[in-house]
Amino acid sequence: MDIVNQREQEEYDQVRRDLIFVVTMNAIFFAILIGLYFFNRSTGSVDQFFAQVLKF
């Protein structure tokens, strides 16, 4: 039974690391998104960039 418990603990640790990684990356992307929103709101640079890229 000890090997089974050790394997479950390893899987739990891996899931925990993955969850922390995903939550951290989502927080970083959210911060970038909010930053781009307010930067674009004051300058309009992001709109101009995508207008040139997409030929609007």
Side-chain angles (χ1 to χ4, degrees):
M1 283 305 255
D2 188 37
I3 294 174
V4 172
N5 289 337
Q6 182 180 4
R7 181 70 179 154
E8 286 179 1
Q9 184 64 36
E10 289 172 359
E11 289 176 0
Y12 174 79
D13 291 341
Q14 182 64 42
V15 168
R16 187 169 176 251
R17 281 191 300 269
D18 290 346
L19 179 62
I20 291 170
F21 176 75
V22 167
V23 169
T24 303
M25 293 303 294
N26 280 334
I28 290 170
F29 289 135
F30 183 70
I32 291 170
L33 181 68
I34 294 297
L36 281 173
Y37 170 76
F38 285 110
F39 176 72
N40 185 53
R41 194 170 167 200
S42 63
T43 65
S45 300
V46 178
D47 286 338
Q48 291 173 359
F49 171 75
F50 282 105
Q52 289 177 350
V53 169
L54 300 174
K55 308 287 188 229
F56 284 141

